[in-house]
Protein backbone atom coordinates (compact mmCIF):
# COMPACT_ATOMS: atom_id res chain seq x y z
CA UNK A 1 0.00 0.00 0.00
CA UNK A 2 1.36 3.41 -0.97
CA UNK A 3 1.91 6.22 1.55
CA UNK A 4 -0.64 8.37 -0.28
CA UNK A 5 -3.21 5.59 0.09
CA UNK A 6 -2.59 5.37 3.84
CA UNK A 7 -2.87 9.14 4.27
CA UNK A 8 -6.14 9.18 2.38
CA UNK A 9 -7.53 6.51 4.72
CA UNK A 10 -6.40 8.49 7.79
CA UNK A 11 -8.52 11.38 6.64
CA UNK A 12 -11.65 9.26 6.58
CA UNK A 13 -14.28 9.52 9.31
CA UNK A 14 -13.91 5.81 10.04
CA UNK A 15 -10.28 5.04 10.97
CA UNK A 16 -11.16 1.34 11.32
CA UNK A 17 -10.80 1.18 7.56
CA UNK A 18 -7.05 1.13 8.22
CA UNK A 19 -7.34 -2.39 9.60
CA UNK A 20 -9.43 -3.44 6.63
CA UNK A 21 -6.61 -2.27 4.37
CA UNK A 22 -4.06 -4.29 6.30
CA UNK A 23 -2.53 -1.36 8.15
CA UNK A 24 -1.69 -1.95 11.82
CA UNK A 25 -3.56 0.40 14.16
CA UNK A 26 -1.38 2.20 16.71
CA UNK A 27 -3.05 3.32 19.97
CA UNK A 28 -1.36 6.29 21.66
CA UNK A 29 -1.93 6.35 25.42
CA UNK A 30 -1.62 9.65 27.29
CA UNK A 31 0.18 8.89 30.55
CA UNK A 32 -1.32 11.99 32.22
CA UNK A 33 -4.84 10.73 31.51
CA UNK A 34 -4.01 7.44 33.22
CA UNK A 35 -2.86 8.93 36.49
CA UNK A 36 -5.61 11.56 36.50
CA UNK A 37 -8.12 8.72 36.30
CA UNK A 38 -6.29 6.92 39.11
CA UNK A 39 -6.42 10.03 41.33
CA UNK A 40 -10.09 10.63 40.55
CA UNK A 41 -10.96 7.03 41.40
CA UNK A 42 -9.20 7.27 44.77
CA UNK A 43 -10.90 10.58 45.59
CA UNK A 44 -14.34 9.03 45.15
CA UNK A 45 -13.86 7.47 48.60
CA UNK A 46 -13.06 10.78 50.34
CA UNK A 47 -15.58 13.12 51.98
CA UNK A 48 -15.48 16.42 53.80
CA UNK A 49 -14.41 15.63 57.37
CA UNK A 50 -12.22 12.64 56.51
CA UNK A 51 -8.81 12.55 58.18
CA UNK A 52 -5.29 11.26 57.97
CA UNK A 53 -3.39 10.48 61.17
CA UNK A 54 0.31 10.26 61.93
CA UNK A 55 3.30 12.53 61.49
CA UNK A 56 2.50 15.33 59.08
CA UNK A 57 3.64 18.88 58.46
CA UNK A 58 1.63 22.07 58.15
CA UNK A 59 3.22 24.83 56.05
CA UNK A 60 2.53 28.55 56.38
CA UNK A 61 4.20 31.79 55.27
CA UNK A 62 5.44 34.35 57.79
CA UNK A 63 7.33 37.64 57.96
CA UNK A 64 10.92 36.91 59.10
CA UNK A 65 11.12 40.39 60.63
CA UNK A 66 8.11 39.72 62.86
CA UNK A 67 7.74 36.00 63.57
CA UNK A 68 4.52 35.51 65.54
CA UNK A 69 4.71 31.82 66.46
CA UNK A 70 7.37 29.71 68.14
CA UNK A 71 7.80 27.67 64.94
CA UNK A 72 8.38 30.74 62.76
CA UNK A 73 10.68 32.26 65.39
CA UNK A 74 12.85 29.12 65.26
CA UNK A 75 13.56 29.60 61.55
CA UNK A 76 13.42 33.40 61.33
CA UNK A 77 17.19 33.59 60.80
CA UNK A 78 17.21 30.99 58.03
CA UNK A 79 16.52 33.33 55.12
CA UNK A 80 13.13 31.77 54.48
CA UNK A 81 9.56 32.95 54.87
CA UNK A 82 8.03 29.47 55.00
CA UNK A 83 7.82 27.32 58.10
CA UNK A 84 6.71 23.73 58.68
CA UNK A 85 4.94 22.75 61.89
CA UNK A 86 4.61 19.19 63.13
CA UNK A 87 0.94 18.19 63.45
CA UNK A 88 -0.87 14.99 64.40
CA UNK A 89 -2.77 14.77 61.13
CA UNK A 90 -5.16 16.62 58.87
CA UNK A 91 -8.89 16.80 58.21
CA UNK A 92 -10.29 17.66 54.79
CA UNK A 93 -12.56 20.74 54.78
CA UNK A 94 -13.25 20.97 51.04
CA UNK A 95 -16.88 20.16 50.26
CA UNK A 96 -17.45 16.58 49.15
CA UNK A 97 -18.93 17.63 45.80
CA UNK A 98 -15.65 19.42 44.99
CA UNK A 99 -13.45 16.61 46.30
CA UNK A 100 -14.92 14.11 43.86
CA UNK A 101 -14.74 16.42 40.83
CA UNK A 102 -11.94 15.51 38.44
CA UNK A 103 -8.51 16.76 39.47
CA UNK A 104 -8.02 17.80 35.86
CA UNK A 105 -10.57 20.58 36.44
CA UNK A 106 -10.33 21.10 40.21
CA UNK A 107 -6.77 20.13 41.24
CA UNK A 108 -6.78 21.60 44.76
CA UNK A 109 -8.10 20.50 48.13
CA UNK A 110 -8.09 22.24 51.54
CA UNK A 111 -7.06 20.66 54.82
CA UNK A 112 -6.70 21.89 58.39
CA UNK A 113 -4.47 20.37 61.09
CA UNK A 114 -5.64 18.11 63.88
CA UNK A 115 -4.61 19.23 67.36
CA UNK A 116 -4.91 17.49 70.70
CA UNK A 117 -7.07 18.98 73.46
CA UNK A 118 -8.10 17.90 76.93
CA UNK A 119 -11.45 16.27 77.73
CA UNK A 120 -13.02 19.48 78.96
CA UNK A 121 -12.08 21.46 75.86
CA UNK A 122 -13.21 18.54 73.68
CA UNK A 123 -16.66 18.72 75.30
CA UNK A 124 -16.85 22.48 74.72
CA UNK A 125 -15.94 22.05 71.07
CA UNK A 126 -18.50 19.28 70.64
CA UNK A 127 -21.13 21.70 71.97
CA UNK A 128 -20.08 24.40 69.49
CA UNK A 129 -18.64 26.66 72.20
CA UNK A 130 -15.23 27.16 70.51
CA UNK A 131 -15.63 28.26 66.86
CA UNK A 132 -11.88 28.17 66.31
CA UNK A 133 -12.20 24.39 66.37
CA UNK A 134 -14.46 21.73 64.87
CA UNK A 135 -15.44 18.43 66.49
CA UNK A 136 -14.50 15.41 64.35
CA UNK A 137 -16.31 12.32 65.68
CA UNK A 138 -14.07 9.80 63.94
CA UNK A 139 -10.93 10.96 65.78
CA UNK A 140 -12.49 12.28 69.00
CA UNK A 141 -11.36 9.11 70.82
CA UNK A 142 -7.82 10.45 70.42
CA UNK A 143 -8.88 13.88 71.78
CA UNK A 144 -8.14 15.36 68.36
CA UNK A 145 -10.07 18.28 66.88
CA UNK A 146 -9.79 20.39 63.73
CA UNK A 147 -7.97 23.71 64.12
CA UNK A 148 -9.92 25.96 61.74
CA UNK A 149 -7.55 28.92 62.19
CA UNK A 150 -5.01 27.20 59.94
CA UNK A 151 -5.89 26.12 56.39
CA UNK A 152 -3.48 24.59 53.88
CA UNK A 153 -4.05 24.00 50.15
CA UNK A 154 -2.76 20.80 48.55
CA UNK A 155 -2.94 19.27 45.12
CA UNK A 156 -5.35 16.36 45.20
CA UNK A 157 -2.66 13.86 44.23
CA UNK A 158 -1.10 14.32 47.69
CA UNK A 159 -3.99 12.75 49.58
CA UNK A 160 -4.07 9.69 47.34
CA UNK A 161 -1.02 8.53 49.29
CA UNK A 162 -2.81 8.93 52.61
CA UNK A 163 -4.64 6.28 54.60
CA UNK A 164 -8.19 7.61 54.91
CA UNK A 165 -9.70 7.76 58.40
CA UNK A 166 -13.47 8.46 58.23
CA UNK A 167 -14.28 11.60 60.21
CA UNK A 168 -18.08 11.59 60.09
CA UNK A 169 -20.10 8.39 60.23
CA UNK A 170 -23.70 9.47 59.57
CA UNK A 171 -25.78 12.33 58.21
CA UNK A 172 -26.08 14.02 61.60
CA UNK A 173 -22.31 14.12 62.09
CA UNK A 174 -21.75 15.31 58.51
CA UNK A 175 -24.27 18.11 59.05
CA UNK A 176 -22.74 19.14 62.39
CA UNK A 177 -19.23 19.29 60.91
CA UNK A 178 -20.44 21.44 58.02
CA UNK A 179 -22.17 23.77 60.48
CA UNK A 180 -18.93 24.13 62.46
CA UNK A 181 -17.12 25.23 59.29
CA UNK A 182 -19.88 27.71 58.49
CA UNK A 183 -19.94 29.10 62.02
CA UNK A 184 -16.22 29.86 61.89
CA UNK A 185 -16.67 32.15 58.87
CA UNK A 186 -20.10 33.56 59.69
CA UNK A 187 -19.87 34.69 63.32
CA UNK A 188 -21.83 37.82 64.13
CA UNK A 189 -19.85 40.92 65.16
CA UNK A 190 -21.66 42.28 68.21
CA UNK A 191 -21.62 46.07 68.74
CA UNK A 192 -19.01 47.39 71.16
CA UNK A 193 -21.61 48.78 73.54
CA UNK A 194 -23.24 45.35 73.77
CA UNK A 195 -19.89 43.81 74.68
CA UNK A 196 -19.51 46.37 77.46
CA UNK A 197 -23.12 45.92 78.53
CA UNK A 198 -22.86 42.13 78.75
CA UNK A 199 -19.37 42.02 80.28
CA UNK A 200 -20.51 40.90 83.75
CA UNK A 201 -22.62 38.11 82.29
CA UNK A 202 -19.79 37.11 79.98
CA UNK A 203 -17.32 36.92 82.84
CA UNK A 204 -19.76 34.90 84.93
CA UNK A 205 -20.42 32.35 82.21
CA UNK A 206 -16.74 32.04 81.40
CA UNK A 207 -15.64 31.68 85.01
CA UNK A 208 -18.37 29.24 86.07
CA UNK A 209 -18.59 27.09 82.96
CA UNK A 210 -15.85 24.67 83.96
CA UNK A 211 -16.56 24.58 87.69
CA UNK A 212 -17.57 21.31 89.33
CA UNK A 213 -20.65 22.81 90.97
CA UNK A 214 -24.34 23.12 90.13
CA UNK A 215 -23.97 26.27 88.03
CA UNK A 216 -21.07 24.84 86.05
CA UNK A 217 -23.08 21.69 85.43
CA UNK A 218 -26.05 23.77 84.26
CA UNK A 219 -23.89 25.81 81.88
CA UNK A 220 -22.40 22.66 80.40
CA UNK A 221 -25.94 21.36 79.84
CA UNK A 222 -26.69 24.30 77.55
CA UNK A 223 -26.62 23.63 73.82
CA UNK A 224 -26.32 27.28 72.79
CA UNK A 225 -26.74 30.80 74.09
CA UNK A 226 -28.33 33.16 71.59
CA UNK A 227 -29.39 36.79 71.78
CA UNK A 228 -31.86 38.76 69.69
CA UNK A 229 -32.05 42.54 69.32
CA UNK A 230 -35.41 44.15 68.53
CA UNK A 231 -36.03 45.97 66.30
CA UNK A 232 -32.33 45.78 65.26
CA UNK A 233 -28.78 46.18 66.57
CA UNK A 234 -28.64 49.64 64.97
CA UNK A 235 -31.69 51.01 66.78
CA UNK A 236 -31.45 53.76 69.39
CA UNK A 237 -33.63 51.75 71.79
CA UNK A 238 -33.29 47.98 71.86
CA UNK A 239 -35.14 45.11 73.46
CA UNK A 240 -32.75 42.20 74.13
CA UNK A 241 -33.95 38.60 74.36
CA UNK A 242 -31.48 35.97 75.57
CA UNK A 243 -32.22 32.35 74.69
CA UNK A 244 -30.43 29.80 76.87
CA UNK A 245 -31.03 26.65 74.85
CA UNK A 246 -30.71 23.52 76.95
CA UNK A 247 -29.44 20.28 75.47
CA UNK A 248 -30.34 17.94 78.31
CA UNK A 249 -33.60 16.89 79.93
CA UNK A 250 -32.15 17.54 83.38
CA UNK A 251 -34.13 20.28 85.15
CA UNK A 252 -32.51 20.26 88.57
CA UNK A 253 -28.86 20.70 89.50
CA UNK A 254 -28.28 19.82 93.15
CA UNK A 255 -31.82 20.98 93.83
CA UNK A 256 -31.49 24.24 91.89
CA UNK A 257 -33.78 24.67 88.90
CA UNK A 258 -33.26 26.46 85.60
CA UNK A 259 -35.49 29.36 86.71
CA UNK A 260 -33.14 30.19 89.57
CA UNK A 261 -30.07 30.21 87.35
CA UNK A 262 -31.89 32.40 84.84
CA UNK A 263 -32.70 34.99 87.52
CA UNK A 264 -29.06 35.08 88.60
CA UNK A 265 -27.82 35.56 85.04
CA UNK A 266 -30.36 38.26 84.15
CA UNK A 267 -29.40 40.27 87.25
CA UNK A 268 -25.98 40.72 85.67
CA UNK A 269 -27.45 42.50 82.62
CA UNK A 270 -29.84 45.22 83.90
CA UNK A 271 -31.30 47.74 81.46
CA UNK A 272 -28.72 50.34 80.43
CA UNK A 273 -28.03 52.75 77.56
CA UNK A 274 -29.67 51.63 74.34
CA UNK A 275 -30.70 48.34 75.91
CA UNK A 276 -34.01 49.41 77.43
CA UNK A 277 -35.50 45.95 77.98
CA UNK A 278 -33.72 42.69 78.79
CA UNK A 279 -35.50 39.34 78.82
CA UNK A 280 -34.38 35.76 78.93
CA UNK A 281 -35.71 32.22 78.63
CA UNK A 282 -34.44 28.69 79.19
CA UNK A 283 -35.77 26.65 76.27
CA UNK A 284 -35.25 23.43 74.38
CA UNK A 285 -34.45 23.79 70.70
CA UNK A 286 -37.89 22.52 69.73
CA UNK A 287 -39.49 25.27 71.84
CA UNK A 288 -38.13 27.98 69.52
CA UNK A 289 -39.66 28.90 66.21
CA UNK A 290 -37.45 28.94 63.11
CA UNK A 291 -37.95 32.72 62.94
CA UNK A 292 -36.77 33.20 66.51
CA UNK A 293 -33.69 31.09 65.87
CA UNK A 294 -32.52 32.70 62.62
CA UNK A 295 -33.16 36.23 63.92
CA UNK A 296 -30.92 35.64 66.95
CA UNK A 297 -27.12 35.52 67.13
CA UNK A 298 -24.89 32.95 68.76
CA UNK A 299 -22.78 33.72 71.80
CA UNK A 300 -19.79 31.41 72.23
CA UNK A 301 -16.95 31.02 74.70
CA UNK A 302 -14.39 32.34 72.19
CA UNK A 303 -16.47 35.52 72.02
CA UNK A 304 -16.99 35.59 75.77
CA UNK A 305 -13.26 35.38 76.29
CA UNK A 306 -12.54 38.39 74.08
Amino acid sequence: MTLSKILSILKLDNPDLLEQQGVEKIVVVNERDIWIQKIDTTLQKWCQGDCVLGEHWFVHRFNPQYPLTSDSNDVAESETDLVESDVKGFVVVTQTCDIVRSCADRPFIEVVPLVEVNEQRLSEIQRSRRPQFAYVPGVAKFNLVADLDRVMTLEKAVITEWEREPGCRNDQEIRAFGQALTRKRARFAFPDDFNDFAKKLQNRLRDKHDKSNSEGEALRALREIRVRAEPSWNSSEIRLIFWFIRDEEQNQFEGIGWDQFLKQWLKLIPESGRFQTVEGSIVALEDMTAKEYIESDLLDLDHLSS
Side-chain angles (χ1 to χ4, degrees), residues 115-255:
V115 297
E116 189 173 0
V117 297
N118 59 35
E119 291 286 349
Q120 181 176 303
R121 182 59 59 89
L122 181 68
S123 177
E124 293 173 1
I125 295 167
Q126 184 178 14
R127 292 176 178 274
S128 305
R129 303 290 175 81
R130 300 283 181 179
Q132 176 187 343
F133 304 100
Y135 183 78
V136 187
V139 296
K141 60 186 176 183
F142 305 115
N143 281 31
L144 296 176
V145 297
D147 180 359
L148 303 182
D149 270 2
R150 296 186 285 168
V151 183
M152 185 168 68
T153 301
L154 306 172
E155 291 194 2
K156 286 181 174 178
V158 173
I159 74 168
T160 62
E161 304 297 323
W162 291 351
E163 182 177 348
R164 172 179 167 269
E165 183 77 27
C168 302
R169 300 158 295 192
N170 54 52
D171 288 349
Q172 183 178 356
E173 292 179 352
I174 293 170
R175 190 177 300 112
F177 184 76
Q179 290 171 346
L181 300 183
T182 300
R183 185 167 51 250
K184 166 67 174 175
R185 306 300 177 195
R187 296 165 66 192
F188 181 74
F190 290 97
D192 289 341
D193 59 344
F194 172 79
N195 292 329
D196 293 336
F197 166 80
K199 189 173 183 179
K200 287 184 179 180
L201 175 64
Q202 294 171 349
N203 289 339
R204 175 82 173 205
L205 299 182
R206 185 188 64 233
D207 294 342
K208 297 295 183 181
H209 183 274
D210 301 330
K211 300 294 184 183
S212 56
N213 56 27
S214 58
E215 187 172 7
E217 186 181 358
L219 287 170
R220 292 189 294 274
L222 291 175
R223 175 191 177 93
E224 297 179 38
I225 304 170
R226 304 185 70 87
V227 59
R228 178 181 178 183
E230 294 182 348
S232 77
W233 287 104
N234 294 325
S235 300
S236 57
E237 294 186 0
I238 296 175
R239 174 192 179 208
L240 290 177
I241 304 173
F242 285 82
W243 304 97
F244 298 87
I245 306 174
R246 57 183 175 83
D247 196 33
E248 305 290 345
E249 294 299 327
Q250 187 175 354
N251 293 316
Q252 295 283 327
F253 302 88
E254 298 180 6

Side-chain angles (χ1 to χ4, degrees), residues 1 4 14 18 71 94 120 122 128 133 189 192 270 283:
M1 181 180 294
S4 60
N14 186 0
L18 284 170
D71 287 331
T94 300
Q120 181 176 303
L122 181 68
S128 305
F133 304 100
D192 289 341
V283 296

